[in-house]
Amino acid sequence: MSANLQTYLRDHLAGAQFATSLLADLGAQTLDADLAAFARTLLAEIEADEQLVEQILGRLDSQPSMIKEASAWLAQKLGRAKLQVGSDPFSIFEGLELVAIGILGKLSLWKALQAIPAHENAFAILDLAQLANRASDQHAAVEQWRITYAVSALSESASG
């Protein structure tokens, strides 16, 4: 299987790990209980998708990249330090925006995998169309929250 495919999947896995970190923070914040409940539900879905990518990599007999894993870990730590997700509406807004962008990336992943002929891939048993639909639904839900927080985070009356 293509080394490029393995790199692509590992990059998406790193992105999923960053998203789960953000969602864990959003799920633990105390400013908005409804958002926290939503984030915890979405976290479980994103973790399930992350496991699917790990399974695909396992079928490809792909070995972890220490550099990519270290880079993902560092990005998570830097992101948490900068965002402090959940401490105010602006940090929640930024966290939601990053999650929304990440979900669009995951949607692109599922669509790209659909384009590879089934006979030459290790993930033909997955319902990639269903996974793409779920990613679209996840993005729509996050986008609703993101726009809600845009009002309090970006208006002139927002503290900064």
Side-chain angles (χ1 to χ4, degrees), residues 92-152:
I92 290 173
F93 171 74
E94 284 192 316
L96 288 167
E97 186 154 80
L98 287 171
V99 170
I101 291 167
I103 291 171
L104 287 176
K106 178 175 62 174
L107 174 59
S108 296
L109 165 70
W110 299 139
K111 287 181 177 184
L113 295 182
Q114 283 178 305
I116 299 172
H119 67 277
E120 63 175 79
N121 69 51
F123 38 85
I125 62 170
L126 298 176
D127 187 345
L128 294 169
Q130 187 268 339
L131 290 168
N133 287 335
R134 183 168 74 175
S136 291
D137 292 345
Q138 290 169 343
H139 181 264
V142 171
E143 187 65 4
Q144 286 181 323
W145 280 105
R146 188 185 75 81
I147 295 301
T148 297
Y149 270 87
V151 175
S152 58

Side-chain angles (χ1 to χ4, degrees), residues 8-56:
Y8 183 63
L9 291 167
R10 290 233 168 263
D11 290 346
H12 276 275
L13 187 59
Q17 291 165 346
F18 185 65
T20 58
S21 175
L22 287 173
L23 287 167
D25 289 347
L26 287 168
Q29 57 78 29
T30 57
L31 294 176
D32 187 331
D34 291 336
L35 174 61
F38 167 75
R40 289 189 298 270
T41 299
L42 183 58
L43 173 61
E45 292 177 16
I46 301 296
E47 287 174 333
D49 291 340
E50 182 180 352
Q51 289 175 355
L52 286 175
V53 174
E54 288 174 343
Q55 289 172 7
I56 293 168

